[in-house]
Amino acid sequence: MKILIVEDEAKICAYLQQGLNEAGFVVDTSRNGLDAHHLAMTEHYDLIILDVMLPDVDGWTILKALREAGRDIPVLFLTARDSVDDRVKGLELGADDYLVKPFAFAELLARVRTLLRRGINRSTETRLSAADLELDLLSRRVTRAGQRVAITTREFALLELLLRHQNEVLPRSLIASQVWDMNFDSDTNVIDVAIRRLRAKIDDAFEPKLIRTVRGMGYMLDTSGGN
Amino acid sequence: MKILIVEDEAKICAYLQQGLNEAGFVVDTSRNGLDAHHLAMTEHYDLIILDVMLPDVDGWTILKALREAGRDIPVLFLTARDSVDDRVKGLELGADDYLVKPFAFAELLARVRTLLRRGINRSTETRLSAADLELDLLSRRVTRAGQRVAITTREFALLELLLRHQNEVLPRSLIASQVWDMNFDSDTNVIDVAIRRLRAKIDDAFEPKLIRTVRGMGYMLDTSGGN
DNA sequence: GATGGACCATGAAAATCCTCATCGTGGAGG
DNA sequence: CCTCCACGATGAGGATTTTCATGGTCCATC
């Protein structure tokens, strides 16, 4: 599997390359948009990791050019934490996933694998939702019944996981591995507490309750309205 | 590469197995000490991951038996956070590394790889030290000039990294990748702050200063006493 | 239907961590 | 030698996360 990394910051670029190499991928890198575009048009890549902020041409432009040239390579966007609105437009151009800096390498790797596994692109997921709960992956914004809800990083990760597996029971161990990097400490209740915080924010003041406890199993995001 | 996991807690066992499988290892598991011993004696493994707390025979006994039978398989111990003194003895029996629960999977994987890479066992590292600074890997205890110093998880990870690479300059990016799971946010000073906290604990009140800043490069643990 | 135990919920406190603003300092270039 | 600038140090503040203690609830068993 061959991956092209387009990222101007040398350190980040080097570490992504190293990390992905160690994970068994062949990796090319480009530090600017023009070379990136050229490479993407001439070489064959299974995936492109594309920083939006580049010194010359920005990421969207490159993506757009690729798509217009009929190239259906999966693209994983790297975006900076701020400057939200700007970015939305880019993702609408056909990126396949996004990642907001800063991020853990494990996270990147997981997404890379997902993208590669599902083959050619499956169009952008900008938001997830269940009932009247909406979660905007790009801006990391959450609304319930139209109301904006403030949410922290961990809470977001947890909620995203729940939403990506609606109506599936998620065992604690799975949650721990996804949201806490597989930190399975049998005698801690971090997850319970995190669920509690999440409920306080998105369920306490609303109906129907979305987060359901499945005794002895774990938690699930239940859209059936309770039955 | 074939690994044997000996761990009684089903969840942990399953997740280790899954994780290591995905990382490309062949994995057998055992939920108790007797089977584990039997497997280790009959099958060929490149590494054994061994929980000390088992329902029947404890980890040390198994390790001891293996060593006495002349089996030089690398062993990675999993220990619980508490009950410190008990454990020290086990490690003296010839385990090759240890890991204190809870731990991140990334950490486990790193150690597994290290152990496999360096081939047959290289005897236990129970503690690291530099000048009058001592760090007990098992109990996660730190002393400077004989005085016990309280330390947090992150601080410990950072200090361990510095100690494992004494007199080498560690670039920020490397530190970020090791201590923060490759969380490279170019404009944050988490590392600086963490170094600050560490210095406050192990350097401020002592001489010589061990943590040295290498301008433009990073930090290093310097045992040369400053020159 | 009572009892006990495992499992979960919850609030509050404590620990830890990160951000931010400001200050200090070393070194290059004048 | 002086000035300026980039880089690092530092303290304070706040946000987040974790721990802990307690209380509630479900369910198996008697």
Side-chain angles (χ1 to χ4, degrees), chain B residues 171-192:
Chain B
R172 279 187 168 63
S173 51
L174 176 69
I175 297 176
S177 75
Q178 300 290 303
V179 181
W180 277 263
D181 183 20
M182 202 167 196
N183 186 335
F184 36 70
D185 184 2
S186 17
D187 49 347
T188 181
N189 70 339
V190 263
I191 297 178
D192 305 51

Side-chain angles (χ1 to χ4, degrees), chain A residues 2-19:
Chain A
K2 203 166 167 192
I3 299 178
L4 173 65
I5 299 175
V6 188
E7 164 67 63
D8 59 316
E9 283 188 71
K11 290 179 186 174
I12 297 184
C13 196
Y15 275 93
L16 290 182
Q17 179 167 27
Q18 184 194 324

Side-chain angles (χ1 to χ4, degrees), chain A residues 65-178:
Chain A
L66 287 176
R67 294 296 185 238
E68 281 171 0
R71 300 243 156 191
D72 251 2
I73 312 165
V75 170
L76 172 61
F77 252 116
L78 303 184
T79 72
R81 180 162 37 185
D82 305 321
S83 70
V84 173
D85 306 322
D86 273 357
R87 282 176 287 135
V88 180
K89 82 177 186 200
L91 275 277
E92 284 164 359
L93 292 172
D96 297 279
D97 205 350
Y98 71 98
L99 211 45
V100 180
K101 294 186 205 172
F103 52 84
F105 183 71
E107 218 175 321
L108 176 88
L109 194 55
R111 300 202 190 235
V112 164
R113 291 208 165 113
T114 305
L115 283 174
L116 289 176
R117 190 177 313 127
R118 77 184 188 198
I120 305 303
N121 70 315
R122 198 139 333 277
S123 84
T124 316
E125 268 181 327
T126 295
R127 43 187 49 208
L128 295 169
S129 66
D132 58 350
L133 174 71
E134 295 219 337
L135 185 144
D136 185 320
L137 297 172
L138 265 186
S139 57
R140 313 234 121 186
R141 229 173 244 163
V142 174
T143 55
R144 174 89 202 245
Q147 294 180 37
R148 173 79 185 280
V149 176
I151 203 164
T152 70
T153 312
R154 268 254 153 60
E155 288 158 12
F156 191 92
L158 177 55
L159 185 55
E160 180 176 348
L161 182 67
L162 287 166
L163 271 168
R164 284 190 189 279
H165 301 272
Q166 319 190 6
N167 301 312
E168 287 174 40
V169 180
L170 301 179
R172 279 186 168 64
S173 50
L174 176 69
I175 297 176
S177 75
Q178 300 290 303

Side-chain angles (χ1 to χ4, degrees), chain B residues 53-120:
Chain B
M53 279 277 288
L54 292 170
D56 48 1
V57 193
D58 64 53
W60 315 318
T61 311
I62 297 173
L63 176 62
K64 203 172 158 200
L66 287 177
R67 293 294 185 239
E68 280 171 359
R71 299 243 156 191
D72 249 3
I73 311 166
V75 170
L76 172 60
F77 251 118
L78 302 185
T79 72
R81 179 160 39 183
D82 305 323
S83 69
V84 173
D85 306 321
D86 275 354
R87 283 177 286 134
V88 179
K89 82 177 184 200
L91 275 276
E92 283 161 1
L93 291 173
D96 299 279
D97 205 350
Y98 71 97
L99 210 45
V100 180
K101 295 185 201 174
F103 52 85
F105 183 71
E107 218 173 322
L108 177 89
L109 193 54
R111 300 201 190 236
V112 164
R113 292 210 165 110
T114 304
L115 283 173
L116 289 176
R117 191 177 313 127
R118 76 184 187 197
I120 305 303

Side-chain angles (χ1 to χ4, degrees), chain B residues 15-184:
Chain B
Y15 274 93
L16 290 182
Q17 179 168 28
Q18 184 194 326
L20 289 170
N21 265 331
E22 284 176 4
F25 299 102
V26 178
V27 180
D28 283 356
T29 62
S30 167
R31 305 281 297 283
N32 65 69
L34 286 175
D35 290 352
H37 179 251
H38 178 69
L39 279 170
M41 293 302 285
T42 39
E43 303 285 319
H44 165 77
Y45 295 104
D46 298 287
L47 174 71
I48 301 180
I49 297 175
L50 187 55
D51 190 13
V52 274
M53 279 277 288
L54 292 170
D56 48 1
V57 193
D58 64 53
W60 315 318
T61 311
I62 297 173
L63 176 62
K64 203 172 158 200
L66 287 177
R67 293 294 185 239
E68 280 171 359
R71 299 243 156 191
D72 249 3
I73 311 166
V75 170
L76 172 60
F77 251 118
L78 302 185
T79 72
R81 179 160 39 183
D82 305 323
S83 69
V84 173
D85 306 321
D86 275 354
R87 283 177 286 134
V88 179
K89 82 177 184 200
L91 275 276
E92 283 161 1
L93 291 173
D96 299 279
D97 205 350
Y98 71 97
L99 210 45
V100 180
K101 295 185 201 174
F103 52 85
F105 183 71
E107 218 173 322
L108 177 89
L109 193 54
R111 300 201 190 236
V112 164
R113 292 210 165 110
T114 304
L115 283 173
L116 289 176
R117 191 177 313 127
R118 76 184 187 197
I120 305 303
N121 69 316
R122 197 142 333 278
S123 87
T124 316
E125 269 181 326
T126 297
R127 42 186 48 208
L128 294 169
S129 67
D132 58 351
L133 174 72
E134 295 218 338
L135 185 143
D136 184 320
L137 297 172
L138 266 186
S139 57
R140 312 235 121 186
R141 229 174 244 164
V142 175
T143 55
R144 174 87 203 249
Q147 294 180 37
R148 173 78 185 281
V149 177
I151 203 164
T152 70
T153 312
R154 268 255 155 56
E155 288 158 10
F156 191 92
L158 177 55
L159 185 55
E160 180 176 350
L161 181 68
L162 287 166
L163 272 167
R164 283 189 190 279
H165 301 273
Q166 318 191 5
N167 301 312
E168 287 174 40
V169 180
L170 301 178
R172 279 187 168 63
S173 51
L174 176 69
I175 297 176
S177 75
Q178 300 290 303
V179 181
W180 277 263
D181 183 20
M182 202 167 196
N183 186 335
F184 36 70

